[in-house]
Amino acid sequence: MPRFVVEADGGSRGNPGPAGYGAVVLDPATGETLAERAEFIGVATNNVAEYKGLIAGLTAARGLAPDATVLVRMDSKLVVEQMSGRWKIKHPDMKPLAARAAKILPRAQVTYEWIPRERNKHADRLANEAMDAGKRGEQWEPSRSTAFAAAPPAGPPGDAAKGAAAVRAAMASGGGTGTRAAAAAGTGADTLFGATDAPSGDAQARAAEAAAVRAASAVARDTDTLFGAAEAPAEAPAGADGTGPRPAAGSDGGHATRTAAGTGTAAGTGTGTGWGPDMGAPATFVLLRHGETALTPQKRFSGSGGTDPELSPAGRRQAAAVAEALAARGTVQAVVSSPLRRCRETAQAVADRLGLPVAVEEGLRETDFGAWEGLTFAEVRERFPDDLQAWLDSPKAAPTGGGESFTAVTRRVSAARDRLLSAHAGRTVLLVTHVTPVKTLVRLALGAPPESLFRMELSAASLSAVAYYADGNASVRLLNDTSHLR
C-alpha cells in the first residue's frame, strides 16, 4: 500500500480577508514532491483556508493512489484536533468542510499530526503564492511557483532537515538524477555498514537511475527491507502490568512498535542528467545496543544515574554473537563505547574479536532517569504519576529527582555525533550505546519528532546503522536487526 505525507496550510490577510491555501503531497521515504496544489479563494478566514488546503491535499493524494495511507501534517492545531476527533466542531462554517475532508479517503487510511509553522514552509509558501496571485487578479499557476525550492540548508550534519533542503535546492537548480540515499537502496546487505565508491561515467549514471527505481519500487511495495532490515519482532506489553502507555524510550524494556528502515533525507530524482558532485564515502555509524543486564528482562529503568550493572550471562552470550556477526562482515574500522559498564563489556567483546581498541565517548551514555532508576514503568506510574505524565507529554520534562530530559539528551548525543563525524569521516564506526542514544540518532537522521522515541523497537544487542554524507544528508540503513541472535 503506498504511503504519502500531505502538508497543508491556509492564510487570510485580514481574517477574514483575501485568502488562499497551499498543499503538497510528499513521498515519505524520499522527500520527493509528488503534487502541489494552491488556490486563491477570495475573502475567507484563516480556518476556512486551512480546511480547504487540507481538502485539496487529500484530493491530490487520492488522485495519485486511492488506497494510499496518508499522514497529514499541518500547523493548525484546530484542524488537526478536530479531524482527529479530539475536539468538537462547533463553528457552522467548519462543519461542512470537515465533513467533506473526511469523505475523501477512508478514515482508517488518514492520520493527523501537528507540526510547528517552520516545518510547514512548503505549504505556507504555496498559500502565499496563491494570495499574491489573487492580489494581481489572477489564479495560482504551477509553472510560476517557486515553493519547491527549499530554504538554504541549516542545521548540524546528519539532521534530515538539512539534507532534504540540500537535495531540494540541487533539484531545483537542475542537478542530479538522484542522491546517495537512493543509490544506497540498491547496494544490498553487503554495503549496509560501508558504502562502495561510486562508479564513473555511463556506468555511474546507469547505477544511479537503477538504484532510484529500486528504491521507489521498494517503497511502493510497502516493504520494510529497503536496506536489508530484519523482520520486526512482535510488540511487547506496554509495561510490566501490560497496560498503559508504552515503556520509556530509554528504559531497559525498549518497547515500541515495529521495526522499520528508511532514508532520512530527500532522495527523489531530479530533472537533470548528471550524478552531481561526488561526496565520497559516508561515515557510517553501526549502532549496537549493549547486551542484557539483570535489569533488562525485568523492564526496569536503567540509565546513567543508577547502579551501572554488568552484563548478565545472557548478555555476554549476546555480545559474543554480535562480535562474530561483525567479524564476518569485516567492515568495522573503529569501536567507540558509552562509559557505562554494560556497554564497555559489550564493546570489548566485539573489539577483541576484531582486533581493535575501544575508545570511550561520554556523550553516548544513557539518560539519567533520576529517582526512577531501578524501577519498572508500573512502579514509576504508581509513585510519580504526575511527573511520569509530564515526561511522556513533553521532551523538555525531566524524570523525578533531577534526571535528564530528552531535550538535554538530544543536545548531548548530537554533540557526540558531531565530534565522532569529525574524527571518523568516511569510516565505518561501531558505537556501543543504549536505547535513548540509538533512537535519538535515528530520529535526527529521519527528521522525526521527539515522540517517535516511543515508537521504535530496540532489543538488547540489536544493530542499527546510519550513514552520514559530506553534504549533510543522512540515510538510515538498518534498525533493530537481531538476526545474529537467532
Side-chain angles (χ1 to χ4, degrees):
M1 181 181 294
R3 299 174 182 171
F4 299 140
V5 169
V6 169
E7 295 178 348
D9 198 11
S12 172
R13 294 170 180 172
N15 198 30
Y21 68 75
V24 57
V25 183
L26 303 170
D27 183 330
T30 67
E32 180 184 1
T33 296
L34 304 177
E36 289 180 323
R37 299 290 184 269
E39 184 182 2
F40 175 68
I41 58 174
V43 176
T45 64
N46 281 325
N47 292 337
V48 167
E50 289 163 346
Y51 262 109
K52 290 197 172 183
L54 168 64
I55 290 168
L58 289 174
T59 301
R62 183 184 63 185
L64 292 169
D67 62 338
T69 58
V70 177
L71 170 63
V72 176
R73 300 194 298 211
M74 300 181 67
D75 59 60
S76 170
K77 187 74 169 176
L78 176 77
V79 175
V80 167
E81 294 299 318
Q82 288 181 341
M83 292 303 298
S84 298
R86 292 185 289 267
W87 290 2
K88 291 184 178 180
I89 305 172
K90 299 179 180 180
H91 198 287
D93 291 345
M94 301 299 109
K95 290 182 179 180
L97 293 171
R100 183 178 166 191
K103 292 179 180 178
I104 296 171
L105 288 169
R107 183 179 181 87
Q109 291 177 215
V110 185
T111 55
Y112 292 85
E113 176 187 334
W114 178 85
I115 57 175
R117 176 168 291 276
E118 58 268 20
R119 290 180 55 195
N120 202 26
K121 290 183 178 179
H122 193 156
D124 178 71
R125 285 193 295 271
L126 287 170
N128 277 287
E129 285 183 0
M131 287 184 279
D132 290 341
K135 187 176 180 179
R136 298 191 302 268
E138 304 170 354
Q139 272 295 351
W140 177 83
E141 295 181 14
S143 61
R144 299 175 63 179
S145 175
T146 60
F148 178 75
D159 283 348
K162 176 183 178 182
V167 172
R168 290 193 185 101
M171 291 168 67
S173 63
T177 60
T179 68
R180 287 189 176 271
T187 59
D190 288 343
T191 57
L192 274 172
F193 298 156
T196 57
D197 290 337
S200 59
D202 293 338
Q204 188 182 60
R206 287 195 300 271
E209 182 176 359
V213 170
R214 285 193 292 270
S217 298
V219 172
R221 290 193 304 270
D222 193 26
T223 66
D224 281 332
T225 57
L226 193 58
F227 297 109
E231 291 183 357
E235 184 172 354
D241 58 358
T243 62
R246 294 182 179 90
S251 72
D252 252 334
H255 301 290
T257 53
R258 65 175 185 166
T259 301
T263 59
T265 60
T269 57
T271 57
T273 57
W275 178 276
D278 185 358
M279 292 296 153
T284 300
F285 288 173
V286 181
L287 309 173
L288 171 59
R289 185 190 171 195
H290 60 80
E292 286 187 8
T293 73
L295 299 180
T296 307
Q298 298 175 25
K299 300 179 177 63
R300 295 184 179 275
F301 283 89
S302 182
S304 58
T307 59
D308 196 12
E310 64 181 354
L311 292 180
S312 65
R316 287 191 286 273
R317 289 192 296 270
Q318 291 168 339
V322 75
E324 289 301 320
L326 291 172
R329 189 171 296 277
T331 53
V332 171
Q333 298 168 287
V335 178
V336 181
S337 175
S338 154
L340 298 185
R341 184 174 182 179
R342 53 196 181 273
C343 286
R344 288 188 287 107
E345 291 178 345
T346 304
Q348 195 62 58
V350 177
D352 287 347
R353 182 66 180 82
L354 300 180
L356 296 170
V358 177
V360 173
E361 167 55 62
E362 175 67 24
L364 295 179
R365 62 182 172 79
E366 181 58 286
T367 307
D368 183 343
F369 291 111
W372 302 352
E373 294 279 357
L375 302 180
T376 65
F377 189 86
E379 289 169 342
V380 172
R381 183 173 55 197
E382 180 180 353
R383 300 181 193 183
F384 310 104
D386 293 340
D387 290 350
L388 177 62
Q389 191 58 53
W391 183 74
L392 292 170
D393 289 342
S394 172
K396 296 180 180 180
T400 311
E404 283 183 292
S405 69
F406 283 144
T407 298
V409 173
T410 298
R411 285 195 296 266
R412 168 165 57 79
V413 171
S414 297
R417 175 201 61 194
D418 295 347
R419 287 193 296 270
L420 292 168
L421 285 174
S422 178
H424 298 285
R427 305 181 75 202
T428 298
V429 183
L430 178 69
L431 307 187
V432 186
T433 180
H434 310 263
V435 171
T436 311
V438 172
K439 290 185 177 183
T440 297
L441 289 168
V442 170
R443 178 182 80 78
L444 293 173
L446 293 173
E451 56 265 31
S452 64
L453 293 172
F454 297 102
R455 299 173 185 172
M456 294 183 235
E457 173 78 24
L458 204 67
S459 304
S462 63
L463 289 167
S464 303
V466 181
Y468 299 91
Y469 294 93
D471 62 352
N473 281 295
S475 172
V476 177
R477 298 187 169 188
L478 192 67
L479 181 63
N480 197 42
D481 177 19
T482 57
S483 58
H484 50 280
L485 302 178
R486 293 199 285 269

